[in-house]
Amino acid sequence: MAEFDLIARLTARAGARGDVALGIGDDAALLEVPAGEQLVACCDALNEGVHFLPGTDPADIGWKALAVNLSDLAAMGARPAWALLSLTLPRADADFVDAFMRGFSALADAAGTALVGGDTTSGPLSICVTALGCVPRGQALTRAGARPGDAVFVSGTLGDASAALEHLRPMGPRHPGEGRSDDDFPMFLRDRLHRPTPRIALGQALRGVANAVIDVSDGLLADLGHIARASGVGIELDAEALPASAALRTLLDPAERLRCQATGGDDYELVFTVPSERWETLRAIFPPEFRGALPITPSPPLAGEGAGVRGAFPAVTRIGRVVAGEGVRVLDADGVPVDFDRAGWEHFMDKVP
């Protein structure tokens, strides 16, 4: 199959929209940014053997390639609008492209995101997506606003994707060849790894409420470390407050579960800080059926696992506090710091396989 045949297959998934003055087919796209809004742009690459394992379903790769970018937009409080896709393939594989685009398009449609351009080339399997969105002028969320006295909240549950990766990778402690079959492994955890849910609706709702926001991609400690540095503060987390899914609680003992939750990454949940005077504002943004999922004292989330692409909210849990100082610490029930051998994923040092 020739390159332009692949492009035609990709173009077939891109529909016309009023905010796309010129889409796929020219040297660049022309896009209409609404008056009074700022353009928000992000870019993430996914490489085989680094971000996903060989043999991963192409539809899952397509979904995740877009999801990790939409999660960045969510952390900025932005509304997704457009995406550019750069696809590098070892060979022109129509079946791979069709399956990839099924996953990519399923999330794009759910999130209101139009594919407006990109590139195809030959080489080791790699996907790079640029996502573009809009936010009302001056209302973007950043990492730099956390203040001592803020409470730290996180959406959804933590550690699910990390546990799934350790099960699936060839040398992982829970590989099927070492005593556990795929049939025994919770599908919920596998879906959390392969099809994360970008918290778009929540991110937009946090505008004017949260002081600082980041998405959990490299690991809770690593990503909160970015907020701590950008804001010039310290952060304390309560180990027993970190939310865990029922599947994770069943699968792992408490120590291993905490390690996955604190350092595992790939959750794509939003972690954010809110001053005490806005806690009730935060509670009020949730529909009545979700307000119970916003505890002011630490407790497991009560509703909404897997929700939140556009119109629904995930559970939100208070997990710690912002303090004077620097760095991020996890404290056990007695207030003693818990030590970890790493804070999260580090490129050029870590490998998936």
Side-chain angles (χ1 to χ4, degrees):
M1 176 173 289
E3 177 185 6
F4 290 106
D5 294 323
L6 285 180
I7 294 174
R9 301 184 90 88
L10 297 170
T11 303
R13 298 281 184 163
R17 281 192 356 184
D19 59 359
V20 181
L22 182 64
I24 296 175
D26 219 298
D27 287 327
L30 297 177
L31 309 172
E32 304 288 352
V33 180
E37 297 195 350
Q38 292 175 292
L39 187 66
V40 184
C42 62
C43 179
D44 264 308
L46 270 67
N47 297 314
E48 185 177 48
V50 178
H51 300 93
F52 58 90
L53 294 167
T56 300
D57 186 336
D60 290 339
I61 299 172
W63 175 287
K64 190 168 185 177
L66 181 58
V68 301
N69 283 274
L70 297 188
S71 184
D72 284 335
L73 294 185
M76 301 293 290
R79 169 183 58 81
W82 312 288
L84 302 167
L85 169 64
S86 179
L87 184 59
T88 301
L89 296 170
R91 60 187 179 85
D93 187 337
D95 290 338
F96 179 94
V97 169
D98 289 344
F100 175 93
M101 287 307 298
R102 280 198 301 272
F104 186 99
S105 299
L107 180 56
D109 292 344
T113 304
L115 179 62
V116 296
D119 189 29
T120 57
T121 188
S122 62
L125 181 57
S126 178
I127 302 97
C128 184
V129 173
T130 298
L132 304 165
C134 298
V135 66
R137 185 170 299 278
Q139 295 187 33
L141 302 167
T142 72
R143 305 174 179 182
R147 299 292 178 264
D150 286 3
V152 180
F153 293 87
V154 71
S155 66
T157 56
L158 297 168
D160 299 316
S162 176
L165 178 60
E166 291 194 8
H167 168 83
L168 293 171
R169 62 185 176 183
M171 300 304 294
R174 285 180 179 75
H175 185 258
E178 298 180 14
R180 183 184 294 273
S181 72
D182 278 340
D183 291 341
D184 295 332
F185 192 75
M187 183 62 69
F188 169 79
L189 299 183
R190 198 171 328 190
D191 287 345
R192 290 275 286 156
L193 172 66
H194 291 316
R195 297 213 173 198
T197 301
R199 304 304 189 181
I200 295 166
L202 178 61
Q204 293 176 57
L206 290 176
R207 296 193 301 239
V209 178
N211 277 348
V213 185
I214 194 170
D215 72 326
V216 182
S217 55
D218 293 328
L220 181 67
L221 296 186
D223 292 314
L224 273 175
H226 297 315
I227 286 183
R229 283 188 292 275
S231 301
V233 297
I235 295 174
E236 293 179 345
L237 302 177
D238 300 316
E240 294 189 350
L242 300 187
S245 66
L248 192 71
R249 290 181 182 276
T250 300
L251 183 71
L252 300 181
D253 64 54
E256 193 171 2
R257 182 174 72 237
L258 178 60
R259 178 184 59 79
C260 286
Q261 290 178 293
T263 69
D266 247 9
D267 295 304
Y268 298 100
E269 298 293 348
L270 297 186
V271 60
F272 54 96
T273 77
V274 180
S276 59
E277 64 269 20
R278 294 190 201 143
W279 288 356
E280 288 306 313
T281 302
L282 178 59
R283 186 186 301 275
I285 69 175
F286 285 79
E289 65 271 23
F290 284 96
R291 286 178 188 159
L294 181 60
I296 295 304
T297 56
S299 67
L302 303 178
E305 283 184 351
V309 173
R310 295 189 75 179
F313 293 105
V316 172
T317 305
R318 183 185 173 192
I319 60 172
R321 64 208 64 85
V322 180
V323 298
E326 60 184 21
V328 183
R329 298 193 303 165
V330 178
L331 306 179
D332 67 15
D334 297 319
V336 177
V338 181
D339 291 327
F340 299 93
D341 60 2
R342 53 186 284 171
W345 176 268
E346 295 185 29
H347 282 284
F348 305 106
M349 296 180 65
D350 295 327
K351 293 183 179 180
V352 166

Short mmCIF file of all heavy atoms in Angstrom, two decimals, residues 235-262:
data_model
loop_
_atom_site.label_atom_id
_atom_site.label_comp_id
_atom_site.label_asym_id
_atom_site.label_seq_id
_atom_site.Cartn_x
_atom_site.Cartn_y
_atom_site.Cartn_z
N ILE A 235 4.45 19.26 49.72
CA ILE A 235 3.17 18.55 49.69
C ILE A 235 3.29 17.30 50.54
O ILE A 235 4.27 16.55 50.44
CB ILE A 235 2.78 18.18 48.25
CG1 ILE A 235 2.51 19.44 47.43
CG2 ILE A 235 1.55 17.27 48.22
CD1 ILE A 235 2.25 19.19 45.95
N GLU A 236 2.29 17.08 51.40
CA GLU A 236 2.20 15.87 52.22
C GLU A 236 0.98 15.08 51.80
O GLU A 236 -0.12 15.63 51.68
CB GLU A 236 2.09 16.23 53.70
CG GLU A 236 3.34 16.88 54.27
CD GLU A 236 3.19 17.23 55.74
OE1 GLU A 236 2.04 17.23 56.25
OE2 GLU A 236 4.23 17.51 56.37
N LEU A 237 1.16 13.78 51.60
CA LEU A 237 0.08 12.88 51.22
C LEU A 237 -0.15 11.85 52.31
O LEU A 237 0.81 11.41 52.96
CB LEU A 237 0.41 12.16 49.91
CG LEU A 237 0.69 13.03 48.68
CD1 LEU A 237 1.06 12.16 47.49
CD2 LEU A 237 -0.51 13.91 48.35
N ASP A 238 -1.40 11.47 52.51
CA ASP A 238 -1.75 10.43 53.48
C ASP A 238 -1.86 9.10 52.74
O ASP A 238 -2.73 8.93 51.88
CB ASP A 238 -3.07 10.77 54.16
CG ASP A 238 -3.00 12.09 54.91
OD1 ASP A 238 -1.99 12.30 55.60
OD2 ASP A 238 -3.94 12.90 54.79
N ALA A 239 -0.99 8.15 53.07
CA ALA A 239 -0.94 6.88 52.35
C ALA A 239 -2.30 6.18 52.36
O ALA A 239 -2.73 5.63 51.33
CB ALA A 239 0.12 5.98 52.97
N GLU A 240 -2.99 6.19 53.49
CA GLU A 240 -4.24 5.46 53.59
C GLU A 240 -5.38 6.14 52.83
O GLU A 240 -6.43 5.53 52.63
CB GLU A 240 -4.62 5.28 55.06
CG GLU A 240 -3.66 4.38 55.83
CD GLU A 240 -4.17 4.03 57.21
OE1 GLU A 240 -5.17 4.63 57.65
OE2 GLU A 240 -3.56 3.15 57.86
N ALA A 241 -5.18 7.39 52.41
CA ALA A 241 -6.24 8.10 51.69
C ALA A 241 -6.17 7.89 50.18
O ALA A 241 -7.13 8.23 49.48
CB ALA A 241 -6.16 9.60 51.99
N LEU A 242 -5.07 7.35 49.66
CA LEU A 242 -4.94 7.20 48.21
C LEU A 242 -6.02 6.24 47.71
O LEU A 242 -6.09 5.09 48.18
CB LEU A 242 -3.56 6.69 47.83
CG LEU A 242 -2.37 7.57 48.25
CD1 LEU A 242 -1.08 7.03 47.66
CD2 LEU A 242 -2.58 9.03 47.85
N PRO A 243 -6.85 6.66 46.76
CA PRO A 243 -7.99 5.83 46.34
C PRO A 243 -7.56 4.64 45.50
O PRO A 243 -6.75 4.76 44.58
CB PRO A 243 -8.85 6.79 45.52
CG PRO A 243 -7.88 7.81 45.01
CD PRO A 243 -6.83 7.97 46.08
N ALA A 244 -8.10 3.48 45.81
CA ALA A 244 -7.79 2.25 45.09
C ALA A 244 -9.08 1.60 44.62
O ALA A 244 -10.09 1.59 45.35
CB ALA A 244 -7.01 1.28 45.98
N SER A 245 -9.06 1.06 43.44
CA SER A 245 -10.21 0.32 42.92
C SER A 245 -10.36 -1.00 43.66
O SER A 245 -9.40 -1.52 44.26
CB SER A 245 -10.04 0.05 41.43
OG SER A 245 -8.95 -0.83 41.21
N ALA A 246 -11.55 -1.55 43.61
CA ALA A 246 -11.78 -2.86 44.21
C ALA A 246 -10.88 -3.91 43.58
O ALA A 246 -10.37 -4.81 44.26
CB ALA A 246 -13.25 -3.25 44.07
N ALA A 247 -10.67 -3.81 42.25
CA ALA A 247 -9.82 -4.78 41.56
C ALA A 247 -8.39 -4.73 42.07
O ALA A 247 -7.74 -5.77 42.28
CB ALA A 247 -9.85 -4.52 40.06
N LEU A 248 -7.87 -3.52 42.31
CA LEU A 248 -6.50 -3.39 42.79
C LEU A 248 -6.38 -3.89 44.22
O LEU A 248 -5.38 -4.55 44.57
CB LEU A 248 -6.05 -1.93 42.70
CG LEU A 248 -4.55 -1.71 42.91
CD1 LEU A 248 -3.77 -2.23 41.71
CD2 LEU A 248 -4.25 -0.22 43.13
N ARG A 249 -7.37 -3.61 45.05
CA ARG A 249 -7.32 -4.07 46.44
C ARG A 249 -7.33 -5.60 46.51
O ARG A 249 -6.69 -6.21 47.37
CB ARG A 249 -8.51 -3.50 47.21
CG ARG A 249 -8.41 -2.00 47.47
CD ARG A 249 -9.61 -1.49 48.27
NE ARG A 249 -9.53 -0.06 48.45
CZ ARG A 249 -8.83 0.55 49.42
NH1 ARG A 249 -8.18 -0.20 50.30
NH2 ARG A 249 -8.81 1.86 49.51
N THR A 250 -8.05 -6.21 45.58
CA THR A 250 -8.11 -7.67 45.56
C THR A 250 -6.80 -8.28 45.07
O THR A 250 -6.35 -9.32 45.56
CB THR A 250 -9.26 -8.14 44.66
OG1 THR A 250 -10.50 -7.63 45.17
CG2 THR A 250 -9.33 -9.65 44.58
N LEU A 251 -6.15 -7.61 44.14
CA LEU A 251 -4.98 -8.18 43.47
C LEU A 251 -3.70 -8.06 44.29
O LEU A 251 -2.90 -9.00 44.32
CB LEU A 251 -4.80 -7.50 42.11
CG LEU A 251 -3.66 -8.01 41.23
CD1 LEU A 251 -3.99 -9.39 40.69
CD2 LEU A 251 -3.38 -7.04 40.10
N LEU A 252 -3.49 -6.91 44.93
CA LEU A 252 -2.19 -6.62 45.53
C LEU A 252 -2.27 -6.47 47.05
O LEU A 252 -3.29 -6.02 47.58
CB LEU A 252 -1.62 -5.31 44.95
CG LEU A 252 -1.39 -5.26 43.44
CD1 LEU A 252 -0.80 -3.92 43.05
CD2 LEU A 252 -0.50 -6.40 42.97
N ASP A 253 -1.18 -6.82 47.71
CA ASP A 253 -1.11 -6.58 49.15
C ASP A 253 -0.91 -5.08 49.38
O ASP A 253 -0.54 -4.34 48.45
CB ASP A 253 0.02 -7.39 49.79
CG ASP A 253 1.41 -7.00 49.29
OD1 ASP A 253 1.77 -5.81 49.34
OD2 ASP A 253 2.14 -7.90 48.82
N PRO A 254 -1.15 -4.57 50.61
CA PRO A 254 -1.12 -3.12 50.84
C PRO A 254 0.18 -2.43 50.44
O PRO A 254 0.15 -1.34 49.87
CB PRO A 254 -1.37 -3.02 52.36
CG PRO A 254 -2.18 -4.23 52.68
CD PRO A 254 -1.63 -5.32 51.79
N ALA A 255 1.33 -3.04 50.72
CA ALA A 255 2.60 -2.40 50.40
C ALA A 255 2.81 -2.27 48.90
O ALA A 255 3.22 -1.21 48.39
CB ALA A 255 3.76 -3.17 51.03
N GLU A 256 2.51 -3.33 48.16
CA GLU A 256 2.68 -3.28 46.71
C GLU A 256 1.65 -2.36 46.07
O GLU A 256 1.94 -1.65 45.10
CB GLU A 256 2.57 -4.70 46.12
CG GLU A 256 3.05 -4.78 44.69
CD GLU A 256 3.13 -6.21 44.19
OE1 GLU A 256 2.79 -7.14 44.96
OE2 GLU A 256 3.53 -6.39 43.03
N ARG A 257 0.45 -2.36 46.62
CA ARG A 257 -0.59 -1.46 46.12
C ARG A 257 -0.16 0.00 46.29
O ARG A 257 -0.29 0.81 45.37
CB ARG A 257 -1.91 -1.71 46.85
CG ARG A 257 -3.06 -0.85 46.35
CD ARG A 257 -4.35 -1.24 47.02
NE ARG A 257 -4.40 -0.83 48.42
CZ ARG A 257 -4.61 -1.66 49.43
NH1 ARG A 257 -4.77 -2.96 49.22
NH2 ARG A 257 -4.67 -1.21 50.67
N LEU A 258 0.37 0.35 47.45
CA LEU A 258 0.81 1.71 47.69
C LEU A 258 1.92 2.11 46.73
O LEU A 258 1.95 3.23 46.21
CB LEU A 258 1.28 1.86 49.14
CG LEU A 258 1.81 3.24 49.53
CD1 LEU A 258 0.74 4.31 49.35
CD2 LEU A 258 2.31 3.23 50.97
N ARG A 259 2.85 1.19 46.46
CA ARG A 259 3.92 1.49 45.50
C ARG A 259 3.35 1.82 44.12
O ARG A 259 3.76 2.79 43.48
CB ARG A 259 4.89 0.30 45.41
CG ARG A 259 6.02 0.49 44.39
CD ARG A 259 6.88 -0.74 44.28
NE ARG A 259 6.13 -1.92 43.87
CZ ARG A 259 5.76 -2.17 42.61
NH1 ARG A 259 6.06 -1.32 41.65
NH2 ARG A 259 5.08 -3.27 42.34
N CYS A 260 2.40 1.01 43.66
CA CYS A 260 1.78 1.27 42.36
C CYS A 260 1.03 2.60 42.36
O CYS A 260 1.10 3.36 41.39
CB CYS A 260 0.83 0.13 42.00
SG CYS A 260 1.63 -1.40 41.49
N GLN A 261 0.32 2.88 43.43
CA GLN A 261 -0.46 4.11 43.50
C GLN A 261 0.43 5.35 43.53
O GLN A 261 0.12 6.36 42.89
CB GLN A 261 -1.33 4.10 44.75
CG GLN A 261 -2.47 3.10 44.71
CD GLN A 261 -3.25 3.13 46.01
OE1 GLN A 261 -2.74 2.75 47.06
NE2 GLN A 261 -4.48 3.61 45.94
N ALA A 262 1.53 5.28 44.27
CA ALA A 262 2.36 6.46 44.47
C ALA A 262 3.35 6.70 43.34
O ALA A 262 3.69 7.86 43.04
CB ALA A 262 3.13 6.34 45.79
#
